[in-house]
Amino acid sequence: MLKNYFKIALRGFRKHKLFTFINVIGLSIGISASLVIYLIVHYDLTFNKFAGGNDGIYRVTTEYAFSGEVGYNSGVCTPLTEAVKTEISGIEKSAPFYALYEARVQVPHAKGEEFKLNKENGIVIADGRYFNLFKYDWLAGNVKTSLNSPYRVVLTASQAKKYFPCVGYQDMIGREVIYEDSVRTNVSGIVADLKGNTDFLFHDFISFKTADVDSLFKGYFQPTEWGSTNSASQLFVKLDKNTAAANVIKQLNVLRNKRAPQKADKANYTKFDLEKLDDLHFDQKYYSFDGARTANRSTLYGLLVIAAFLLLLGCINFINLTTAQASQRAKEIGIRKTMGSGRSQLIMQFMSETFLVTLFAVIISVALTPLILKLFSTFIPNGVKPDLLQPDLLLFLAGLTVVVSVLSGFYPALVLSNYKPVIVLKSQVAPTSGNTRKTLLRKSLTVTQFVIAQFFIMATILVSKQIHYALTKDLGFKKDAILIVTTPYKSARTNKKQVFLNKIRSMPQIKMIAVGGDAPLSGGTHSTEVTYKNGKTEIKTDLQQKFGDENYLKIYGIKLLAGRNLTPADTGKATVINATYAKTLGFKNVADAVGITLDYNDKKRQIVGVMNDFNQKSLRSQIKPLAFIEPQRFSNRVLHIALKPQTAGGKEWKTAIAGMEQVWKELYPEDEFSYAFFDESIAKFYESEQQISTLLTWATGLSILISCLGLLGLAMYTTSLRTKEIGVRKVLGATVAQIVTLLSTELVLLIVLAFVLVTPIAFYAMHKWMENFADRTSISWWIFALSGAGMLLIALFTLSFQTIKAAIANPIGSLRSE
């Protein structure tokens, strides 16, 4: 029986090629989107699933407030890592480690050869407690002895093969690995790489006992400093089954207040918190260690909504097109019923046809998925791959095929199988023109399609408008033709940086160079507590800092509102503040702040100038109180290089960069030369918004395509029902324009209704999204007008294919067939 159903279905596909093609394309678009989004969501939701389970495992984090400004740090103070063992109850296991960032690695080989890595991440200082909490498979060595002595290191299998190619794991034991030029360690164990998706990308584990005896590593730790927090110092704990996380958090904060007493102050505090291991991949309050990618649950849920919408559009499109085709199948249904087919048999026939269409769409979607992943490679995580042998992916595809088949096919099957054979054989048209309920459902589906499509259009326009606003807004500084070069950390202790400066200053393409810290707008933040005493009043403020010499403000074109710029003679004695800080101190006229003295890190600094406000971070953040001071010892590594304008089609900047690279290689042969244009760095702050814009643009295009196919189906259905009416009107003298207007009016009104329904929904959603930005563009009325007008024009263009065709048809043929 089923074989017969499928044979008939394939025969019907050959007969109605256009309808079949449109149905398959409409469904394959929705299914492709669903499949790709499933791969992304599944990838992110399967992170950090360790053997033995994640229940009860937490990361200890730090929350602090300074003058009411709340901040978060994924690390803890060093002494806490040992104190939890003896002073906190309810903890079954603890695993502290310290991450090294951009370390140098040397691996001596035979015959004087050496393997080198610069700026290597994934290196941590740890001990056996780490491997007791997070389960690794040991290929050589063991958890009890491999990290219990100084100058020992455990490697993951992949890193071990990188250091010692063509050497067996057991033979690697005892081999030497050198860190930071002086820390000589010996391999004491090899562990297998963690399976599955994980944020724990560590591959070199140096023993904690090395830090006890090595002068370089010992300097990283502050074993008695409870007031200092470093994100590199991480602590994970596993709680007892009967211990509540709130109880442990309370104990941690009691311990901290005991060792470092603090006043009960809501505006100034430091406290510990616990973060579930399952939340580690999604918590964007903290910098991810080792460059691990952090996902956003809201974004994932948004992707699922987009997938559901596109899939729904495909199903609605299928329903509209199938019911539009009813008039062509009415005679077939009447004959089948006359020959004895029951309604259940007809339903099975139509459902089998829908299943085949859906199956073809799924096959097309699977074939297109690698291409889509490549097309969206900048948006999709690198680890997302369409592995068809993955059981959960096969289960998802099977479930998707069944769900789409039922959603798309069940209603058309009920409608078509309900036709009365007497009526359809007599009139040879689908007897649905008078069924108000069915007509209302079809129109509702069409309105739903255009609500979704117009929502995507409105969202795309607004996101693009906000990105354009962020990239073109006057941020308070110059951003074009400025090159940023960061010299090596060790250059702060040598005169090589000065030699590099002297050599590149003479280049004709360079206008000016400033030495300092971060650029005006950057991801990093330096701040300190500063006090201003105005008689009896004492104002304490968390003051952000920017470091630079006298050329810094000139290069970035930051205007002085009062006073003067810093000079070399001001070292340690003066500062320039921004207008926001002047107002925070109570000065309505910012010029009045010039000359006052601040208690600045146990030093007295006089305000010599007030500069114009500028954005220190992206437009998501407000402008904060800021002071500009001379570079400190380790905040003078960044060179801010202003380039002269290029001639039209010139290559002056490329020549300058090549010259800098040559000088760099002479002075820093072991370090890679890298640079960034400041304006490009600013654009990176809005990468997530640009990705959202790209995704919405594609979703908008696909939703419009599917909606127009559905509209075309409804137009075909409407004109097929009104064939005789159109013929009579033409005979009585109606023009083509009048008939086109008649056929289009009702459908256009559906689009207008969709616009009325979607506008308040879209406005609310846009308003909520814009709340993420402290400085934002307006939600202009023309966004909605442009969306509505654009959708209306596209719809009229789509309708014209069918309505004009029906209007110019010879009425003799339609009246004769009727």
Side-chain angles (χ1 to χ4, degrees):
M1 182 68 74
L2 286 175
K3 183 179 179 181
N4 186 51
Y5 286 151
F6 288 132
K7 277 186 177 180
I8 296 171
L10 290 173
R11 197 176 300 149
F13 294 162
R14 284 195 297 269
K15 183 178 179 182
H16 306 288
K17 295 184 180 66
L18 178 60
F19 275 104
T20 303
F21 175 77
I22 294 175
N23 279 332
V24 170
I25 293 300
L27 286 177
S28 63
I29 291 172
I31 293 172
S32 295
S34 300
L35 178 55
V36 171
I37 289 172
Y38 167 80
L39 291 172
I40 296 172
V41 174
H42 179 267
Y43 174 78
D44 279 322
L45 292 180
T46 54
F47 260 73
N48 304 324
K49 302 300 181 184
F50 287 93
N54 294 359
D55 291 343
I57 299 181
Y58 295 83
R59 175 168 67 174
V60 184
T61 61
T62 305
E63 179 184 328
Y64 56 88
F66 210 73
S67 299
E69 293 289 332
V70 179
Y72 303 91
N73 196 311
S74 60
V76 296
C77 52
T78 303
L80 180 67
T81 59
E82 297 303 318
V84 295
K85 294 192 297 185
T86 57
E87 301 194 43
I88 305 295
S89 63
I91 294 180
E92 181 182 325
K93 296 177 183 179
S94 65
F97 62 85
Y98 189 94
L100 303 181
Y101 297 103
E102 296 188 351
R104 283 175 48 77
V105 183
Q106 298 161 265
V107 184
H109 286 175
K111 300 179 182 180
E113 296 175 355
E114 194 172 51
F115 176 84
K116 293 183 179 181
L117 289 172
N118 290 322
K119 298 182 178 181
E120 182 72 359
N121 290 321
I123 301 171
V124 296
I125 302 173
D127 59 19
R129 287 175 289 177
Y130 177 90
F131 293 101
N132 284 328
L133 182 58
F134 303 113
K135 302 301 181 183
Y136 287 71
D137 293 328
W138 287 80
L139 306 177
N142 60 77
V143 66
K144 293 182 179 179
T145 61
S146 290
L147 291 175
N148 62 356
S149 301
Y151 299 107
R152 299 278 190 95
V153 64
V154 171
L155 305 174
T156 61
S158 60
Q159 196 72 3
K161 285 296 183 182
K162 185 187 293 185
Y163 291 165
F164 309 104
C166 304
V167 177
Y169 294 132
Q170 293 295 337
D171 295 332
M172 294 177 186
I173 302 298
R175 295 291 185 98
E176 187 177 48
V177 181
I178 305 170
Y179 298 94
E180 299 293 14
D181 300 322
S182 62
V183 183
R184 295 179 173 271
T185 67
N186 295 105
V187 178
S188 58
I190 307 294
V191 294
D193 292 85
L194 288 174
K195 297 178 181 179
N197 305 321
T198 181
D199 291 307
F200 291 75
L201 305 176
F202 312 123
H203 42 69
D204 294 48
F205 303 88
I206 303 170
S207 64
F208 260 126
K209 290 188 178 295
T210 306
D212 293 338
V213 298
D214 189 271
S215 59
L216 177 63
F217 282 1
K218 189 181 292 186
Y220 294 153
F221 297 90
Q222 297 173 303
T224 60
E225 183 52 66
W226 283 85
S228 178
T229 303
N230 190 335
S231 61
S233 179
Q234 300 269 324
L235 174 62
F236 285 79
V237 297
K238 183 177 178 64
L239 307 187
D240 293 332
K241 291 182 178 179
N242 298 323
T243 301
N247 181 34
V248 174
I249 293 172
K250 183 178 179 180
Q251 292 184 68
L252 288 169
N253 288 308
V254 168
L255 174 62
R256 194 210 175 275
N257 292 332
K258 177 182 175 183
R259 299 299 175 86
Q262 56 183 339
K263 297 178 182 179
D265 187 354
K266 293 182 179 180
N268 298 278
Y269 63 82
T270 301
K271 64 181 182 180
F272 297 124
D273 200 357
L274 293 180
E275 176 191 35
K276 287 183 178 180
L277 181 59
D278 287 334
D279 294 334
L280 185 71
H281 185 64
F282 302 97
D283 202 335
Q284 297 184 327
K285 291 186 297 188
Y286 309 106
Y287 286 112
S288 58
F289 44 66
D290 243 14
R293 171 182 165 274
T294 304
N296 186 310
R297 277 199 174 98
S298 297
T299 300
L300 294 180
Y301 297 149
L303 287 174
L304 289 174
V305 170
I306 289 175
F309 278 160
L310 291 176
L311 201 58
L312 178 62
L313 287 173
C315 293
I316 291 173
N317 177 61
F318 184 95
I319 293 169
N320 278 338
L321 287 174
T322 304
T323 51
Q325 193 187 10
S327 61
Q328 300 179 32
R329 303 195 65 177
K331 187 175 181 179
E332 172 195 344
I333 296 165
I335 293 174
R336 285 180 178 278
K337 283 200 166 186
T338 302
M339 298 298 292
S341 291
R343 189 178 185 191
S344 60
Q345 291 176 311
L346 289 172
I347 290 175
M348 284 298 298
Q349 173 63 51
F350 295 131
M351 290 298 294
S352 65
E353 292 178 8
T354 305
F355 176 78
L356 278 181
V357 170
T358 306
L359 186 61
F360 291 152
V362 168
I363 293 171
I364 292 173
S365 299
V366 171
L368 288 176
T369 297
L371 179 62
I372 296 172
L373 293 177
K374 188 175 181 179
L375 187 64
F376 290 97
S377 58
T378 56
F379 177 78
I380 295 173
N382 292 330
V384 176
K385 295 177 182 176
D387 184 5
L388 292 178
L389 298 179
Q390 193 175 336
D392 51 2
L393 179 57
L394 290 174
L395 187 62
F396 171 77
L397 289 174
L400 189 65
T401 303
V402 173
V403 170
V404 172
S405 297
V406 173
L407 285 176
S408 302
F410 191 66
Y411 172 72
L414 287 179
V415 172
L416 295 174
S417 63
N418 197 38
Y419 288 170
K420 304 299 181 184
V422 175
I423 299 175
V424 296
L425 290 176
K426 182 180 179 181
S427 63
Q428 296 185 8
V429 295
T432 58
S433 56
N435 194 323
T436 306
R437 184 181 300 175
K438 294 174 182 176
T439 303
L440 180 62
L441 177 60
R442 244 185 319 272
K443 291 177 180 178
S444 300
L445 293 175
T446 301
V447 169
T448 302
Q449 282 187 314
F450 282 95
V451 164
I452 296 170
Q454 291 189 71
F455 180 88
F456 282 144
I457 295 173
M458 293 172 184
T460 302
I461 295 173
L462 179 73
V463 172
S464 300
K465 187 171 184 274
Q466 176 63 22
I467 294 172
H468 180 265
Y469 176 78
L471 296 179
T472 58
K473 181 182 183 292
D474 182 6
L475 300 174
F477 49 76
K478 182 178 178 290
K479 56 187 177 182
D480 299 320
I482 298 175
L483 201 68
I484 296 176
V485 176
T486 303
T487 57
Y489 186 78
K490 59 190 175 186
S491 70
R493 300 172 177 163
T494 67
N495 65 346
K496 284 187 177 182
K497 183 188 68 182
Q498 191 59 46
V499 175
F500 181 74
L501 270 171
N502 293 338
K503 288 191 174 185
I504 66 174
R505 270 198 180 108
S506 60
M507 292 182 179
Q509 303 89 353
I510 293 176
K511 181 179 179 181
M512 187 186 299
I513 301 176
V515 177
D518 293 333
L521 191 152
S522 62
T525 300
H526 299 272
S527 64
T528 188
E529 185 179 55
V530 175
T531 304
Y532 166 59
K533 295 180 181 179
N534 182 14
K536 295 181 180 180
T537 306
E538 184 176 276
I539 301 175
K540 285 188 176 181
T541 311
D542 179 42
L543 187 62
Q544 294 194 11
Q545 302 172 89
K546 292 291 180 183
F547 306 95
D549 61 16
E550 64 274 16
N551 289 335
Y552 188 97
L553 298 184
K554 298 175 185 176
I555 282 179
Y556 288 105
I558 299 172
K559 298 177 182 178
L560 284 170
L561 303 177
R564 61 174 176 83
N565 192 4
L566 294 178
T567 67
D570 291 322
T571 301
K573 299 182 294 183
T575 182
V576 175
I577 65 171
N578 68 350
T580 293
Y581 186 43
K583 293 172 183 176
T584 301
L585 296 177
F587 296 101
K588 294 182 180 179
N589 182 2
V590 297
D592 295 339
V594 176
I596 70 168
T597 301
L598 303 173
D599 290 334
Y600 198 100
N601 273 347
D602 298 326
K603 294 180 181 179
K604 302 288 186 181
R605 283 186 181 268
Q606 187 181 52
I607 297 175
V608 298
V610 179
M611 58 187 169
N612 194 30
D613 282 334
F614 58 83
N615 291 83
Q616 302 119 359
K617 290 186 176 296
S618 73
L619 298 188
R620 299 183 196 91
S621 305
Q622 295 179 341
I623 295 175
K624 302 292 181 66
L626 175 75
F628 174 63
I629 63 174
E630 77 281 353
Q632 307 298 295
R633 183 181 179 189
F634 292 108
S635 63
N636 64 350
R637 297 171 49 212
V638 183
L639 306 182
H640 307 263
I641 305 168
L643 300 171
K644 293 180 181 178
Q646 289 192 111
T647 58
K651 298 182 179 180
E652 291 90 343
W653 292 359
K654 285 186 178 181
T655 303
I657 293 170
M660 291 179 208
E661 185 173 9
Q662 185 175 353
V663 175
W664 180 281
K665 288 180 178 178
E666 293 173 4
L667 296 172
Y668 308 110
E670 296 177 344
D671 296 284
E672 183 181 354
F673 176 72
S674 61
Y675 64 90
F677 280 97
F678 182 45
D679 56 347
E680 294 176 356
S681 301
I682 294 174
K684 289 182 179 179
F685 279 88
Y686 304 100
E687 280 185 346
S688 62
E689 283 76 21
Q690 289 170 338
Q691 290 174 347
I692 291 171
S693 178
T694 301
L695 182 65
L696 284 174
T697 300
W698 277 94
T700 300
L702 295 176
S703 64
I704 290 173
L705 174 61
I706 298 174
S707 299
C708 287
L709 289 174
L711 185 64
L712 180 63
L714 194 57
M716 294 170 69
Y717 174 78
T718 303
T719 53
S720 69
L721 290 179
R722 305 178 73 172
T723 303
K724 185 176 182 179
E725 177 190 348
I726 294 169
V728 171
R729 286 181 180 274
K730 289 200 72 175
V731 169
L732 294 175
T735 64
V736 172
Q738 289 173 326
I739 292 175
V740 169
T741 303
L742 175 71
L743 295 174
S744 303
T745 300
E746 186 178 12
L747 298 176
V748 167
L749 288 176
L750 295 180
I751 298 168
V752 173
L753 175 61
F755 173 77
V756 172
L757 293 174
V758 76
T759 298
I761 299 172
F763 179 83
Y764 176 77
M766 291 175 183
H767 180 72
K768 296 298 291 183
W769 183 76
M770 293 292 282
E771 287 179 352
N772 295 321
F773 295 87
D775 189 356
R776 50 187 178 261
T777 187
S778 60
I779 305 177
S780 306
W781 64 269
W782 60 260
I783 293 175
F784 305 98
L786 181 62
S787 170
M791 192 73 259
L792 193 59
L793 288 174
I794 294 171
L796 287 172
F797 179 75
T798 304
L799 288 172
S800 65
F801 286 101
Q802 185 63 25
T803 55
I804 293 175
K805 178 184 176 182
I808 63 176
N810 191 333
I812 296 175
S814 61
L815 292 175
R816 180 185 298 155
S817 64
E818 292 288 331

